[in-house]
Amino acid sequence: MSTLSGDRAATDRAVLEVPSTRIQSMLEAAAVSVSRYGLVVVLLLIGVLKFTPGEAAGIQPLVAHSPLMSWMYSLLGVQGVSSVIGVIELATAALIALRPLSPKASFAGSVAAVVTFLLTVSFLFSTPGAVHWNYGFPVLGDAGQFLIKDLVLLGASLWTAAESHRAAQGPRPWLTFFVTIPMSLRRR
C-alpha cells in the first residue's frame, strides 16, 4: 500500500468517525425513547383492555395453564385476575413514563415490565398448542404467534431498565463505589 493511499484511508476514517459517533448517539437516544414510550403505550393499551370481559376470557387459557399464575383463579375468578393484571400493567406503564422526573421510578417500572414479559413469554412453554413440532422444527400456533412479540418487549424492558438505572446513579458513579465499600475495608 502506498503512502498516499494510507493517508487517504486515515483521512477517510477521521472524517467518517466524527459524524458517525454523533449519529450513533442520536440513534441510541431515539431508540431508548421509542422503546420506553412504546412500552408505555403497549402496557397502557393492553392494561385498559384487561378490564373488559372479552380480554378476561381471552387471556384465561394462557393464565390457567401457567404453573406460576393459575392459582389466582381460585381466589379472584376470571375477571378478577384480569383486572389485577390490568392494574399491574397500568402501574408499570406509569412508572416507566416517569423517567424525566424520576429515573429510579422508571427503573422500578422497567423491572416490573421485565417480570411481566418473562411471565408472558413463559406462556409459550405452558400453553398447549402455543408451539408444536412440524418436520422436526418448532412452529408457532395461534397462541404462540400472539405471544412471540413479548420477547421483543422483554428486550425493550431490559434496555430501558439499564438506561434508567444508569441515569439513577447520577453523574458520579465513583461516589457510589466508595459508599458501597464495607466499613471494614475502608479502615485498612
Side-chain angles (χ1 to χ4, degrees):
M1 178 164 80
S2 73
T3 306
L4 182 59
S5 62
D7 290 341
R8 183 173 178 195
T11 302
D12 286 348
R13 264 194 313 279
V15 169
L16 291 174
E17 285 177 6
V18 173
S20 174
T21 303
R22 192 175 316 126
I23 290 169
Q24 181 179 350
S25 295
M26 290 177 7
L27 286 172
E28 285 177 358
V32 169
S33 292
V34 169
S35 295
R36 173 173 290 109
Y37 294 105
L39 277 171
V40 169
V41 168
V42 168
L43 286 164
L44 284 174
L45 292 174
I46 64 176
V48 167
L49 282 176
K50 295 296 189 288
F51 296 97
T52 65
E55 181 69 6
I59 67 167
Q60 199 259 342
L62 303 172
V63 177
H65 288 99
S66 169
L68 301 172
M69 298 178 69
S70 60
W71 59 270
M72 295 171 63
Y73 283 117
S74 63
L75 296 175
L76 304 170
V78 173
Q79 187 59 56
V81 169
S82 188
S83 295
V84 166
I85 293 170
V87 167
I88 292 168
E89 290 170 344
L90 293 175
T92 298
L95 287 170
I96 293 170
L98 287 175
R99 168 60 178 85
L101 302 174
S102 174
K104 288 180 182 180
S106 187
F107 173 70
S110 293
V111 170
V114 167
V115 172
T116 296
F117 295 119
L118 279 172
L119 284 169
T120 58
V121 167
S122 77
F123 295 164
L124 284 167
F125 305 101
S126 62
T127 304
V131 178
H132 56 275
W133 289 89
N134 196 4
Y135 304 108
F137 188 78
V139 177
L140 297 174
D142 290 342
Q145 291 176 26
F146 170 73
L147 293 167
I148 198 68
K149 70 183 179 329
D150 291 1
L151 193 56
V152 175
L153 295 170
L154 173 60
S157 300
L158 288 165
W159 192 4
T160 61
E163 190 280 332
S164 295
H165 185 268
R166 185 173 31 259
Q169 298 303 307
R172 295 174 284 161
W174 59 268
L175 182 61
T176 306
F177 172 78
F178 287 109
V179 170
T180 59
I181 294 175
M183 292 298 284
S184 61
L185 293 177
R186 286 190 220 172
R187 293 185 193 139
R188 290 184 186 180

